[in-house]
Amino acid sequence: MVVALDWEVSWRDSSDGEPSRWVPAAVPGAVQLDWARAEGWDDHTYGENWRQYEWMEDRYWTYRARLRAPALTSGERLYFASKGIDYSFTIRLDGTELLRQEGMFTPVELDVTESIREGSLLEIMIEPAPKRADAPKSRSQADHSCKPAVSYGWDWHPRLIPLGIWEETYLIVRPAVHVASSEVRYELNESLDRAELQLVVRFNDAPAGEIVWSLKGPAGEPIFELPLTVTDKCHTFESMIDSPQLWWPHDHGGQPLYMSEVRYTPQEGKRSVSEAESHRQRIGFRRVKLVVHEDGWKEPSQFPKSRSLPPITMEINGRVIFCKGTNWVNPSIFPGTITAADYGTLLKLAKEANMNLLRIWGGGIVNKQSFFEQCNELGLMVWQEFPLACNLYPDSQEYLKVLDQESRSIIIRLRRHPSVVLWCGGNELFNAWSKMTDQSLPLRLLNANCYELDAKTPFLMTSPIEGMGHGHYMFRYRTGEDVLEAMPRAQNTAYTEFGVPSPSSVEQLKSFIPPEELFPPKPGTAWESHHAFHALSPEMWLMEDQLEHYFGPYESLEQLVENGQLLQSEGYKCIYEEARRQKPKCSMALNWCYNEPWPTAANNSIIMWPAKPKPAYYAVQASCRPVLASARIPKFVWNAKEWFEAELWLLNDSPNALEAGRMEAYVTIGSGERRLLLTWDYADAKPNENLRGPTARYKLPGTAGERIKLELVVDGKPEWSSAYTILYRNGSAPAAPKRNTLNFQ
């Protein structure tokens, strides 16, 4: 039986100061939102309202609840449980300290049976946000803690550091002797047609009775039911099943999930089994490996011989999977407000975009359980990073102790999910700004914990590592090349971050930028605090210089948005499709980034906050189809009387062979006539094999229009057809941009 609690919250200037007034608190939630609600503040996403919250990160916050003790029988105990409290906190009951903890990902469960009374006062005292004392006001303040660094300020996240109870928290009545935890682990044989199962059951006290372990198939059909006698606090049992149905990413097969259930009945108990005594676990059988790409062991070809590029090719159930996906960030600044429905909307959009892998970036939170449950069901693979990003995390025993506790909690919670196919130490830890190496103790600790607790799931020290492409993040590079020119020369094993920015839609911009600031965009306004300017450099992420370079001065907000979103759409098409053309050496394309934690004025995201697709979402959706007609176009801007060229491809990442067929290439200039450029009769294609075709050429006429539209039409397969929009100018080459832009190589 679960007992909900009514919470209040207050703050103090110091640990021993007097509390301010008490206000109602929503749990899960955040102290900032509770206080803002009580004060009647306007939405933090509008204009500069978020600045009202800045002072809260340095206060001491206290939750309190008066307890109404439920009636207990002689065979029951009462526990206080919380799945997550953010970040450093102390729990007291009637003034007596029960627990002091640092870390938001380690759950709490405390037996309060003997100490509770009617009207007892439960308090949770939360310390100010952790900060290294001598660090500047930036993400580096988080480099001695396991607090996600993103909330200390990022180029798409304001400095708003949430604190409070961010996960489900309640009282729960349990039997005096009960199953504290149960977990099924498994081992698939080499041929994947047998699974050896191991059930580990732990009790809170020495039991005397029987458990029944049952397994049901994906359709609910019984597989086995085993009665097992238990006498010790920890038991391990084994079983086996033949021909298990395998879990696959959604674009390669089904997601059959088995149901394991453990029920405990004491010897003397003829009573019915309560919910608290039944432990269930859904199981997806799959084998995951990271392997070196085809012919990767041949490099380096010359002496001195060294190691080849690290493995990053994903193999599921013995089959190479090209990973098309994205970098996932917090769906909200305040993780306590994220619901299963919020996850569901975004995850459904990811699957509909033909994505199969989500990289959970190390600067943000480790998502709630419902996120992973839905990924299991949808067939979305998860690359899970620990909460380390862009900092030099120390080798100190104080930090390592907390990292050990938090990482173990994360691994144990997530390792049962078939969707979790990769562990990673964190984001950009080997870079010049982080200065960590594979000898850094935090990374050695994470590797050791993953090996001990989940050895069969691959582990990476960080991203990127040698061989990976990480960046660029704009359409036009500092060299003057556009992304269509540069990408074909890149030869990476994976593209784990890349981006092209665009403004948000006009409707979205009007929802959070005051009318008097809306047009033209200017630094020092809500445009800047919502990341259009001075995010990484003065012009990022609006990139006005690039928009003017390609389209000339804009005259309206609508024109600005349309032009920016066109660049983003065509840029993302180019990168995803070029990465796919570069397999088997390349095995992965993940854009930066998928979504937003609050509304940005301009960003690399393809989903606006909270879950509104940009046009680029649909461009990515098209470029990630398992099979599609694709064009390698050598540049974005073409001039009158030039020979326009486009190399034709048929991209196939599916597990299916393709029959021979016909592709036609058409070109339309402005509102002119649609012309047939080329017909390609392509041959059969093997599963997961691309076909490279001929190059279509066309002498552009002397009068330039504004756009060239290239269409690739596959006979009898309209779902494979594609279209591209590029610029057509009359005569002179584009001028150099007015401002330099950062170059991420």
Side-chain angles (χ1 to χ4, degrees):
M1 179 176 69
V2 173
V3 180
L5 299 171
D6 292 325
W7 294 95
E8 295 179 305
V9 70
S10 186
W11 59 269
R12 294 170 290 164
D13 285 319
S14 62
S15 59
D16 56 355
E18 288 297 318
S20 61
R21 78 182 195 276
W22 294 90
V23 302
V27 172
V31 297
Q32 289 94 335
L33 297 179
D34 295 327
W35 197 258
R37 192 180 305 112
E39 291 287 321
W41 292 352
D42 291 331
D43 184 359
H44 69 278
T45 67
Y46 187 83
E48 304 292 319
N49 290 346
W50 62 278
R51 297 188 185 279
Q52 293 178 280
Y53 297 70
E54 291 181 301
W55 60 273
M56 297 184 183
E57 67 187 49
D58 294 319
R59 300 304 187 269
Y60 293 79
W61 294 87
T62 300
Y63 287 89
R64 72 180 184 184
R66 291 287 177 182
L67 306 184
R68 300 180 61 186
L72 302 177
T73 68
S74 60
E76 292 180 325
R77 308 287 294 180
L78 183 64
Y79 291 81
F80 169 74
S82 178
K83 295 181 180 180
I85 303 172
D86 183 10
Y87 170 74
S88 293
F89 57 92
T90 302
I91 300 175
R92 292 179 183 166
L93 184 62
D94 292 329
T96 300
E97 183 176 309
L98 303 182
L99 176 71
R100 186 183 297 265
Q101 178 175 302
E102 177 182 348
M104 63 184 287
F105 301 115
T106 299
V108 170
E109 185 163 300
L110 303 171
D111 188 336
V112 296
T113 310
E114 310 301 337
S115 50
I116 196 173
R117 58 178 176 78
E118 187 66 25
S120 281
L121 181 63
L122 180 67
E123 297 174 291
I124 301 176
M125 285 148 285
I126 297 174
E127 297 177 14
K131 300 175 188 177
R132 177 164 57 86
D134 56 345
K137 190 175 181 180
S138 69
R139 68 188 180 214
S140 61
Q141 290 180 318
D143 66 7
H144 280 51
S145 75
C146 293
K147 176 81 169 171
V150 67
S151 55
Y152 291 73
W154 226 265
D155 55 282
W156 39 268
H157 191 301
R159 185 183 174 94
L160 255 181
I161 307 178
L163 297 167
I165 304 174
W166 76 286
E167 274 272 35
E168 296 175 16
T169 299
Y170 44 80
L171 295 177
I172 185 168
V173 177
R174 300 191 188 279
V177 178
H178 60 268
V179 176
S181 67
S182 73
E183 185 178 10
V184 176
R185 309 300 307 280
Y186 64 85
E187 182 87 22
L188 289 169
N189 66 356
E190 189 62 27
S191 56
L192 304 177
D193 59 6
R194 175 172 293 186
E196 303 286 344
L197 279 61
Q198 185 180 78
L199 169 67
V200 178
V201 183
R202 291 182 172 85
F203 290 84
N204 70 311
D205 203 349
E210 179 184 82
I211 66 168
V212 175
W213 176 23
S214 65
L215 184 71
K216 293 182 179 180
E221 71 276 16
I223 306 296
F224 62 70
E225 184 167 284
L226 304 175
L228 304 164
T229 301
V230 288
T231 56
D232 298 325
K233 290 181 69 173
C234 184
H235 280 270
T236 300
F237 302 101
E238 295 180 347
S239 188
M240 177 271 295
I241 63 171
D242 286 322
S243 303
Q245 299 180 52
L246 300 179
W247 184 95
W248 291 93
H250 68 86
D251 51 346
H252 280 259
Q255 296 76 51
L257 296 171
Y258 291 69
M259 178 64 77
S260 169
E261 183 174 16
V262 173
R263 302 187 304 275
Y264 169 60
T265 304
Q267 275 183 352
E268 70 280 7
K270 299 298 182 182
R271 57 184 171 79
S272 61
V273 178
S274 70
E275 181 182 351
E277 295 173 85
S278 177
H279 283 236
R280 294 184 174 185
Q281 176 186 343
R282 299 182 80 182
I283 302 168
F285 294 104
R286 57 100 179 103
R287 185 174 66 199
V288 56
K289 293 182 180 180
L290 280 187
V291 299
V292 173
H293 66 84
E294 183 180 321
D295 293 331
W297 291 114
K298 296 179 181 178
E299 299 294 337
S301 59
Q302 303 296 320
F303 284 96
K305 289 282 188 179
S306 181
R307 71 165 293 175
S308 297
L309 293 175
I312 193 59
T313 297
M314 185 68 68
E315 186 181 279
I316 303 292
N317 302 329
R319 181 187 299 167
V320 168
I321 309 290
F322 192 94
C323 296
K324 297 166 292 190
T326 190
N327 283 263
W328 173 284
V329 300
N330 297 359
S332 171
I333 287 175
F334 299 103
T337 66
I338 303 170
T339 66
D342 296 331
Y343 285 136
T345 301
L346 290 167
L347 291 173
K348 184 172 181 286
L349 284 168
K351 181 177 179 178
E352 290 175 352
N354 300 303
M355 294 177 173
N356 59 19
L357 176 68
L358 306 175
R359 176 185 174 225
I360 313 305
W361 174 73
I365 65 164
V366 178
N367 287 293
K368 299 177 182 180
Q369 200 74 348
S370 60
F371 172 87
F372 299 95
E373 291 168 351
Q374 293 183 70
C375 287
N376 298 340
E377 296 168 356
L378 292 170
L380 292 168
M381 297 181 288
V382 175
W383 162 340
Q384 180 61 58
E385 298 191 353
F386 293 96
L388 291 78
C390 299
N391 278 325
L392 175 57
Y393 293 89
D395 291 347
S396 69
Q397 289 305 306
E398 295 80 5
Y399 172 71
L400 292 173
K401 180 180 178 182
V402 179
L403 181 64
D404 184 45
Q405 163 205 293
E406 291 284 86
S407 62
R408 284 177 170 272
S409 297
I410 292 166
I411 296 165
I412 290 170
R413 176 165 71 91
L414 302 190
R415 66 186 177 186
R416 63 183 61 194
H417 294 288
S419 56
V420 178
V421 298
L422 178 59
W423 296 108
C424 181
N427 177 70
E428 296 178 13
L429 301 177
F430 287 179
N431 299 60
W433 46 87
S434 298
K435 297 184 175 65
M436 297 182 75
T437 73
D438 52 11
Q439 298 305 309
S440 298
L441 293 187
L443 295 178
R444 292 176 63 187
L445 171 67
L446 292 174
N447 194 359
N449 284 352
C450 286
Y451 181 80
E452 176 191 345
L453 298 172
D454 192 23
K456 295 296 183 179
T457 302
F459 175 85
L460 291 177
M461 283 288 187
T462 187
S463 177
I465 53 177
E466 186 180 5
M468 292 181 183
H470 200 80
H472 203 292
Y473 299 94
M474 52 195 76
F475 190 88
R476 189 172 192 268
Y477 295 8
R478 190 175 182 180
T479 60
E481 294 179 301
D482 63 47
V483 68
L484 283 75
E485 295 173 288
M487 267 300 294
R489 293 200 309 275
Q491 293 294 319
N492 294 299
T493 57
Y495 298 91
T496 53
E497 281 192 23
F498 55 85
V500 179
S502 82
S504 292
S505 70
V506 173
E507 179 185 18
Q508 181 84 335
L509 292 168
K510 289 180 177 179
S511 73
F512 63 86
I513 295 179
E516 65 274 13
E517 298 180 0
L518 196 57
F519 190 81
K522 292 181 181 178
T525 68
W527 280 92
E528 179 173 338
S529 63
H530 288 255
H531 317 295
F533 300 102
H534 293 97
L536 286 177
S537 68
E539 69 276 8
M540 289 176 145
W541 287 112
L542 188 58
M543 307 299 294
E544 286 182 294
D545 61 330
Q546 296 206 8
L547 296 179
E548 291 182 18
H549 169 75
Y550 288 112
F551 303 102
Y554 53 86
E555 298 177 356
S556 67
L557 183 62
E558 288 75 12
Q559 186 183 38
L560 168 70
V561 169
E562 179 186 356
N563 292 341
Q565 293 185 344
L566 173 62
L567 283 189
Q568 184 180 49
S569 297
E570 295 302 322
Y572 274 141
K573 278 186 195 177
C574 166
I575 301 172
Y576 274 100
E577 293 180 27
E578 183 58 38
R580 294 177 65 177
R581 284 191 280 269
Q582 294 176 11
K583 71 181 188 185
K585 181 175 182 178
C586 179
S587 64
M588 195 175 291
L590 314 174
N591 84 296
W592 182 269
C593 53
Y594 181 59
N595 57 317
E596 303 175 339
W598 84 320
T600 66
N603 190 12
N604 292 287
S605 64
I606 60 173
I607 300 282
M608 298 177 293
W609 182 87
K612 305 171 186 176
K614 292 180 179 177
Y617 167 86
Y618 300 102
V620 171
Q621 181 185 59
S623 293
C624 290
R625 287 171 291 169
V627 182
L628 75 147
S630 178
R632 177 184 274 165
I633 304 171
K635 61 179 182 176
F636 184 62
V637 178
W638 295 80
N639 296 307
K641 299 185 180 181
E642 283 189 310
W643 279 94
F644 171 75
E645 296 184 352
E647 186 178 80
L648 308 187
W649 287 71
L650 187 66
L651 303 182
N652 177 24
D653 295 337
S654 79
N656 305 315
L658 307 181
E659 295 181 354
R662 171 169 291 188
M663 183 189 304
E664 295 176 332
Y666 294 88
V667 66
T668 304
I669 299 177
S671 58
E673 179 185 354
R674 184 176 186 243
R675 296 174 179 269
L676 175 65
L677 297 185
L678 183 71
T679 297
W680 172 31
D681 292 315
Y682 58 84
D684 296 340
K686 297 176 182 178
N688 198 28
E689 178 184 74
N690 296 333
L691 294 178
R692 186 174 187 174
T695 297
R697 293 180 175 87
Y698 176 66
K699 183 69 175 290
L700 294 170
T703 302
E706 294 184 353
R707 302 283 193 274
I708 298 175
K709 181 179 181 181
L710 176 68
E711 296 174 88
L712 305 183
V713 179
V714 182
D715 187 29
K717 296 286 185 180
E719 69 275 15
W720 295 357
S721 298
S722 299
Y724 306 85
T725 299
I726 50 183
L727 298 189
Y728 183 36
R729 286 182 172 157
N730 189 5
S732 60
K738 293 186 295 185
R739 297 178 290 274
N740 281 336
T741 57
L742 291 181
N743 185 30
F744 297 87
Q745 298 286 3

